Amino acid sequence: MTLFHFGNCFALAYFPYFITYKCSGLSEYNAFWRCVQAGATYLFVQLCKMLFLATFFPTWEGGAGVYDFVGEFMKATVDMADLLGLHLVMSRNAGKGEYKIMVAAMGWATAELVMSRCIPLWVGARGIEFDWKYIQMSFDSNISLVHYIAMAAVVWMFTRYDLPKSFRLPVTVLLGLCVYKAFLMELFVHVFLLGSWTALLVKAVLTGAISLCSLFLFITLVHSN
Amino acid sequence: MFEEASEVFDNMFKSSFPLTLTFIVFLPAVLILVSPLPAEAAHEFTVYRMQQYDLQGQNYGSRNAILNTEARTVEAEVLSRRCVMMRLADFSYEKYQKALRQSAGAVVIILPKNMSTMPQDIVQQFMELEPELLATETIVPVYFAMEDDELLSIYTQTQVSSSSQGSSSAAEVLLHSATANGFQMVTSGAQSKAVSDWAITSLEGRLAGVGGEDLPTIVVVAHYDSFGVAPWLSYGADSNGSGVAVLLELARLFSRLYSHKRTQAGYNLLFFLSGGGKFNYQGTKRWLEDNLDHTESSLLQDNVAFVLCLDTLGNGDGLHLHVSKPPKEGSPQHALLKELQMVVSEQYPDVKFSMVHKKINLADDTLAWEHERFGIRRLPAFTLSHLESHRSAARNSIMDMRPHVDLKKLSRNTKLIAEALARVIYNLTEKQVQEEQLASLVDWLTTQPRAAQLVDKDSTVVSTLEYYLGRYLKDVKRHFVRADKRDPEFVFYDQLKQTMNAYRVKPAIFDLLLALCIAAYLGVVYLAVQVRGHSHYAHYAQILMPGSDYMFFSFMVVTVRLGNEVHALIFKRWRWDGRPAYVSQNTTSSSRPSLIRTCEGRFPESDIILKQLKTQSLLTAAHLTLDSHGAGWHGNVYTKWFTTCHFGSDYL
């Protein structure tokens, strides 16, 4: 549509990141370069994932419209590398737990935003054609910020030595949910033939549930110490 | 030393940070800005532009090809600089004129996919409008498109948004603007320009008779080009596909007769397929000039019995012989007329045959019938047609498609003409008109538009016609007409077929609404993050007890040297309230720091902590682990920033 529309989408996609960065106090730790480092780690991990996928997962040329359940599941499994990457980022940053989590999640999510949404937004939202998908994409980036914060928190909890035994199972389940969330979403959309708005809503609800669970666990864990 | 170097570097970085940001953010943005926008349209369809040509210095048709405007239907109040879409079913000259009067940006007329399903009166009405659309030159581009489901849905959506304007309240319009889709119509091609040096091709072939030097010649002529309001839609089935088909069939029949010595007659037969017939018979004109003025010997110069022009023979129950001068008794012309009358009355009593006499009007811009070209050059000529008048709209219409030719009538007419011709040439009647042959000819002729602008000398139409003539006739030749460079008699223009894209767009008000919604959403996000921060850190403030977990806050110490005394000002910024709650301390280097003034923070936690700090005297340097972040003397002011200060039980 217009540059104005692009501005709208851009504001919708980026400002929550900015607000989070400012209001979570990260800006006061001068955590900018730590976030950039986390972003660089994101890039590295994605590169590794891509190489791995390209080497070991040949393109499946099945019929159109047929959902390759096993193949997609295997691909989602490769997303485990994200967990490793987040752990790597957090282990390299000294500091308090939540500071580590926020730095890792912000850097990770922002890198993803810049890498995967910036150019489609620029090219698409500025074109003549109007499509809701750019607004949806911007909302999706907000959801993914929440997702990565929850994911980083879960990874942080998982790697703590003093994690109580009773926490081990829920944290592991949450970890699994975080990794296979995209896969589950795709499956949902495929099975129930969801529209794009419904799919976005389902994604938001799912992410909200995961993040609330992990926040609850996190607060309980911090309290108990 | 290294520490200082890093501090200096950090300082430098801090000051140049905006510059760095500019590079990181804006350089790629500028790079992408210059990249072209992609063409990803909601719907892409082919549109056919209205005729654009100059004939004898006069301009006709639409003079423009570029279109980039939003679509509307005629129902909308304001049409200026909009692309007005109309369906053929509701097309009328008044609506068209209304659009043009309001200086519309363009007109797109949507034709039904299957023209034969349209009611006859609409087709007839449109046929009659076609010459009117072309009569004057139109500044805006006029396009024709074939209807399909997508285009129909675009039309319906446009119609809904067009008709809702003005009738409803402002709130409704606002709501509507957010939900309805607008469409931006964009053509991909360039502006139309005159085609230079266009050659119109005509074809000639002959069958030579036997018996002496100075045989009389019968010329059979038909123009093969078609004409309609849009060249790419001009299939010209009846006019003049049927004439061409009849001519080709006659060529085939007589070639068989002429191939036997026994049946070879004392007449030369000259067949001529002229091009540019719809543009004042340009092909015929040049052919006559070439044959009569420029060459020494030509069949046309010697003994022409008559010239029979075939025009529009594929339908109707009448058959009319158009003459510009009634034939004299005893002339070959008269003989043919008599034979035609005889054949009609003997074999086809249901055909209404008549002779129509119309004098050549040299004052007219265009000639009425092709035979007038010959008449001007004093050659005895006439035209056979089922049309009574040359003004009939059917001769120049895009509606003139394959269904317009009734094969039975075409075949009957062919038989009739062949019969009459044969009776003139011999006195026998034994020819078999092959109806399937005619059918395939007409089918082939109507598979492609044959507007004069589209048929160049390499086109398949010409080469196939040439091949067909060559199968039966001798000395098949091409004749070319090119308009004079300085004073062109006809000028054609290009960009007659384009791809049009319909992009879904929203009005500007929609963007504004969206911006408001997004601002509201961001506000909610901001508040949510703030509240979350409070509750979260309030929790930490409460657990900050002696012996509890460590905590952070940011910290700045400004030391001012005044004479011998050094005063330190400490500014703290408590993390959990997000805004600076200043605790300034004025202290000399030797004495213990004491709190002088606290700005009342908005949050009770800060007071709690301040009290704790006071009672426990935590603000001594020994208890603080300071991650210094930057420091430096600026004149008499030494500033040191601390970003992370840990203190508490871990460090006590």
Side-chain angles (χ1 to χ4, degrees), chain A residues 69-104:
Chain A
F69 183 84
V70 181
E72 292 298 318
F73 182 78
M74 296 299 278
K75 278 184 198 166
T77 312
V78 180
D79 290 343
M80 293 272 194
D82 285 344
L83 302 183
L84 281 179
L86 280 172
H87 176 62
L88 190 71
V89 172
M90 284 192 283
S91 63
R92 281 160 59 98
N93 279 334
K96 206 167 133 43
E98 60 177 62
Y99 165 71
K100 285 180 175 180
I101 291 169
M102 286 307 285
V103 165

Side-chain angles (χ1 to χ4, degrees), chain A residues 1-2 4-5 8 12 16 23 28-30 33 96 98 122 126 128-130 132 135 142 222-223, chain B residues 13 32-33 37 42 503-506 510-511 514-515 518 521-522 529 536-537 539-540 552 575 629 644:
Chain A
M1 285 241 303
T2 51
F4 188 46
H5 186 66
N8 274 339
L12 186 57
C23 292
E28 293 173 27
Y29 293 119
N30 204 38
W33 282 111
K96 206 167 133 43
E98 60 177 62
W122 177 259
R126 223 166 39 95
I128 308 173
E129 177 89 1
F130 170 80
W132 282 108
I135 297 284
N142 296 358
V222 172
H223 250 301
Chain B
F13 174 72
I32 301 168
L33 188 71
L37 287 176
Y503 295 100
R504 198 180 296 119
V505 290
K506 294 275 186 188
F510 170 78
D511 267 338
L514 195 66
I518 288 172
Y521 169 77
L522 291 178
V529 171
H536 204 67
Y537 296 119
H539 163 72
Y540 278 96
F552 314 75
R575 250 188 67 194
H629 188 261
T644 46

Side-chain angles (χ1 to χ4, degrees), chain B residues 163-239:
Chain B
S163 52
S164 74
Q165 284 178 344
S167 58
S168 45
S169 70
E172 270 178 66
V173 170
L174 211 63
L175 183 73
H176 184 79
S177 70
T179 50
N181 286 322
F183 289 94
Q184 183 90 8
M185 304 305 228
V186 181
T187 50
S188 51
Q191 181 60 284
S192 66
K193 55 182 190 305
V195 183
S196 61
D197 213 25
W198 181 265
I200 293 178
T201 315
S202 307
L203 293 165
E204 167 204 314
R206 67 184 68 187
L207 289 171
V210 287
E213 283 286 292
D214 194 21
L215 286 177
T217 304
I218 293 175
V219 189
V220 183
V221 181
H223 61 269
Y224 66 82
D225 61 320
S226 59
F227 188 87
V229 72
W232 273 97
L233 295 172
S234 314
Y235 291 90
D238 199 4
S239 171

Side-chain angles (χ1 to χ4, degrees), chain A residues 134-173:
Chain A
Y134 301 109
I135 297 284
Q136 288 169 352
M137 195 189 273
S138 307
F139 271 122
D140 193 44
S141 79
N142 296 358
I143 294 171
S144 77
L145 173 64
V146 177
H147 169 77
Y148 280 121
I149 291 175
M151 189 153 143
V154 174
V155 171
W156 179 77
M157 284 189 277
F158 191 77
T159 51
R160 290 224 4 159
Y161 297 115
D162 55 351
L163 189 74
K165 277 249 156 49
S166 58
F167 275 42
R168 186 60 67 182
L169 181 68
V171 167
T172 316
V173 168

